[in-house]
Amino acid sequence: MELPFSESYKIKMVETIRRSTREEREKWIKEAYFNLFNLRSEYVFIDLLTDSGTGAMSDKQWSEMMLGDESYAGASSYLKMRQTIKDILGFPYFLPTHQGRAAENVLFSVLVKEGDIVPGNSHFDTTKGHIEFRKAKAIDCTINEAFDTTLIHPFKGNVDLNKLEKVLENNSNERVPFIVLTLTNNTAGGQPVSMKNIREVSQLAKKHAVSLLFDSARFAENAYFIKIREEGYSHKTIKEIVIEMFQYADYATMSSKKDAIVNMGGFIAFRDREIYRQASTFNIMFEGFVTYGGMSGRDMNALSQGLDEGTEFDYLETRVKQVEYLGNELIKYGIPIQQPIGGHAVFVNAKQLLPHVPREEFIAQTLGVELYLEAGIRGVEIGTLLADRDPVTRNNRYPELELLRLALPRRTYTNNHMDVVAAALKNVYDRRDSIQSGYKIKWEAPIMRHFTVELEKSKIKLF
Ligand SMILES: *Cc1c(COP(=O)(O)O)cnc(C)c1O
């Protein structure tokens, strides 16, 4: 008999989580104005809000914490991180930052100016924010296949080279500070970019004398998909694939809260010494001195160890297979999800799951609240609340897809937890005909409203 697949680690420390009753959850979610961000974490049984900074560190990472050097300048922890970034990503220069968006803030302070154009594949929201804040424009050149949730394509994060070439032809290279490749593509559902596409984007960038930046939060998951799905890579190690990927990049920004498996941290990596030097000034202003940049020595140590562990095949296989496991359980129950299943999350198609809720009443948010009421599980809305209002007309922007994202923290939950999530969603699905209405806004912030919005039921109804 073939042995079943199982995790490549065992558990040394546990944290108690508590099941609540439906009555408790009804009270708590009402007090939270039906916004899952407003819930206390102790009111959540299985927390799939995000995979950012929520993973479990290993025994080796915790031991590294004890060896942290907290010197202001020249700490051994900084030198260790520098060596790791050189060994694993192949960059000669780097700056530590407190998280990914801080890396964007520092690097873009050097590179992006008013009127610039930054093409890429579905820019992450903070990336786009830091571009637009500088009165520059982000242009999405993702392949069209990414927007069809049921279409199976191995690399839905890929850039459409024709779209990119058009942008590069229509704008002088002085207007394009860099192209940004998001690996994997979070906004399109944790979808990877192929090595072939990376190579072709790099060739186009060279042809037009434009730099290439990798937004690298989930680069290791991207490398895993290249190994599994792309011809010619099955015999290579993840670390070999990672080095090959990054050789095409001039810069990398990293949120270490994802694939470096730490709770806080980030960095910028550079090839060019001059840009590194210019960025150092901004790092000192915004983050901290160049040898710590907003991180403690112990955190830099854990990050270095995490980068090493996060680029090991056995770990990545466990990680991605758990996401697949949850996705396949949902498919078995007939629940519509984004396919193929991505690297860090399962995206549930809320429009299909709750066909009676009008779009004005926030379909994916309604599904998120129902899943919480069902079993204390917290996902996150990727729909109309997140899409926010048109800045000019102030009307709601209705995105094509209403998704509920279930992001899996790394090395944190077991597949038994995944079974609970799948069964809870099936129960919601089975009673979908009784869910006829959603929510209306009671209060919202002028921008990024989804974090703090306060909702009320659109119609008085009994749970
Ligand atoms: C999380 C993330 C960021 C921002 O990083 P933070 O650490 O949350 O500031 C940028 N890009 C991508 C693709 C991300 O996933």
Side-chain angles (χ1 to χ4, degrees):
M1 167 178 191
E2 197 187 330
L3 296 178
F5 182 79
S6 76
E7 292 81 359
S8 63
Y9 44 79
K10 59 181 179 176
I11 296 163
K12 185 154 8 200
M13 189 187 280
V14 295
E15 178 181 342
T16 302
I17 49 175
R18 185 179 156 262
R19 265 187 214 91
S20 47
T21 64
R22 183 158 178 129
E23 288 69 39
E24 285 174 319
R25 292 193 293 274
E26 283 176 5
K27 176 171 167 281
W28 294 333
I29 194 69
K30 201 169 165 198
E31 285 168 359
Y33 297 103
F34 304 97
N35 179 347
L36 296 156
F37 284 100
N38 284 340
L39 284 171
R40 291 190 193 190
S41 64
E42 68 203 78
Y43 297 163
V44 177
F45 181 48
I46 301 173
D47 202 348
L48 308 184
L49 185 75
T50 176
D51 65 326
S52 179
T54 52
M57 292 210 295
S58 69
D59 52 352
K60 292 204 173 106
Q61 284 179 290
W62 281 107
S63 338
E64 280 293 329
M65 299 275 290
M66 296 304 293
L67 302 173
D69 175 357
E70 306 302 342
S71 306
Y72 191 95
S76 68
S77 301
Y78 164 78
L79 297 171
K80 184 178 275 181
M81 193 166 151
R82 186 170 78 180
Q83 192 60 43
T84 308
I85 288 171
K86 197 172 214 170
D87 293 345
I88 294 182
L89 307 182
F91 284 93
Y93 304 104
F94 99 101
L95 287 170
T97 63
H98 80 271
Q99 64 184 92
R101 68 199 68 184
E104 292 164 353
N105 186 32
V106 169
L107 183 64
F108 296 3
S109 293
V110 178
L111 298 179
V112 181
K113 53 191 187 310
E114 189 172 339
D116 280 356
I117 304 281
V118 182
N121 56 340
S122 314
H123 312 60
F124 186 72
D125 48 16
T126 61
T127 317
K128 197 170 174 176
H130 275 293
I131 292 167
E132 291 177 349
F133 178 72
R134 292 174 172 80
K135 300 198 164 57
K137 197 172 158 199
I139 298 186
D140 185 10
C141 301
T142 313
I143 55 172
N144 290 336
E145 287 88 333
F147 304 102
D148 181 345
T149 53
T150 55
L151 191 115
I152 304 290
H153 182 295
F155 292 102
K156 273 185 166 178
N158 278 359
V159 167
D160 183 323
L161 298 166
N162 291 324
K163 289 186 196 171
L164 177 61
E165 177 116 64
K166 250 190 216 121
V167 175
L168 295 176
E169 276 169 0
N170 292 338
N171 296 282
S172 107
N173 64 359
E174 271 149 43
R175 278 270 155 256
V176 184
F178 51 83
I179 298 163
V180 55
L181 260 186
T182 317
L183 312 165
T184 58
N185 196 334
N186 186 359
T187 318
Q191 302 292 331
V193 180
S194 70
M195 190 73 86
K196 180 166 177 284
N197 195 252
I198 294 174
R199 200 178 302 124
E200 288 166 341
V201 168
S202 155
Q203 282 162 359
L204 261 185
K206 284 217 171 70
K207 184 174 151 196
H208 291 267
V210 168
S211 300
L212 185 54
L213 162 71
F214 285 3
D215 179 358
S216 336
R218 299 184 185 81
F219 74 94
E221 289 166 14
N222 199 90
Y224 172 85
F225 284 117
I226 288 176
K227 180 176 169 76
I228 298 297
R229 294 183 184 167
E230 190 161 352
E231 220 188 300
Y233 288 93
S234 61
H235 65 286
K236 295 209 162 141
T237 66
I238 296 295
K239 286 193 166 67
E240 285 166 349
I241 294 170
V242 165
I243 277 281
E244 184 178 335
M245 278 163 53
F246 279 94
Q247 85 190 17
Y248 295 108
D250 299 292
Y251 312 103
T253 48
M254 176 72 185
S255 168
S256 305
K257 304 168 73 170
K258 323 293 177 29
D259 276 0
I261 333 179
V262 287
N263 304 115
M264 191 51 75
F267 59 85
I268 318 164
F270 309 79
R271 263 182 229 299
D272 185 277
R273 187 160 177 226
E274 178 51 32
I275 301 291
Y276 160 73
R277 282 186 164 164
Q278 290 177 26
S280 296
T281 306
F282 289 103
N283 217 64
I284 292 167
M285 280 202 300
F286 297 148
E287 293 295 297
F289 184 58
V290 294
T291 66
Y292 72 88
M295 295 185 75
S296 323
R298 53 183 175 273
D299 287 343
M300 290 194 278
N301 270 20
L303 198 167
S304 298
Q305 177 64 26
L307 271 180
D308 186 23
E309 292 174 16
T311 49
E312 283 299 311
F313 178 77
D314 287 352
Y315 152 72
L316 282 165
E317 186 181 36
T318 300
R319 158 89 178 140
V320 176
K321 284 209 164 159
Q322 184 171 51
V323 180
E324 264 171 22
Y325 176 81
L326 173 61
N328 285 328
E329 287 301 295
L330 295 178
I331 291 170
K332 241 193 279 174
Y333 291 141
I335 293 165
I337 62 167
Q338 172 121 327
Q339 292 194 58
I341 299 159
H344 69 290
V346 175
F347 292 71
V348 182
N349 189 330
K351 259 193 219 170
Q352 277 174 291
L353 203 139
L354 295 183
H356 309 301
V357 178
R359 68 174 194 176
E360 293 77 13
E361 298 181 8
F362 308 109
I363 305 167
Q365 181 68 13
T366 304
L367 180 60
V369 172
E370 289 297 332
L371 181 61
Y372 175 72
L373 287 171
E374 185 67 33
I377 297 157
R378 172 158 70 171
V380 74
E381 189 246 26
I382 312 268
T384 304
L385 276 180
L386 179 72
D388 222 316
R389 292 181 187 276
D390 183 287
V392 179
T393 66
R394 299 306 294 158
N395 291 327
N396 278 323
R397 281 192 284 218
Y398 292 104
E400 193 143 331
L401 297 172
E402 286 281 344
L403 300 168
L404 179 68
R405 187 187 78 174
L406 306 171
L408 302 200
R410 292 163 181 78
R411 307 191 287 209
T412 302
Y413 292 111
T414 67
N415 283 5
N416 286 331
H417 293 118
M418 298 305 110
D419 288 341
V420 175
V421 175
L425 256 178
K426 180 181 189 304
N427 290 345
V428 174
Y429 188 45
D430 287 347
R431 59 181 170 79
R432 63 188 176 280
D433 287 337
S434 71
I435 305 168
Q436 300 276 346
S437 62
Y439 296 88
K440 60 184 179 199
I441 292 176
K442 207 163 135 358
W443 177 84
E444 68 186 288
I447 52 163
M448 293 195 278
R449 64 178 181 183
H450 58 289
F451 288 117
T452 52
V453 69
E454 294 181 355
L455 300 166
E456 60 191 353
K457 282 188 198 139
S458 70
K459 293 199 180 80
I460 302 297
K461 59 163 185 174
L462 296 172
F463 277 110

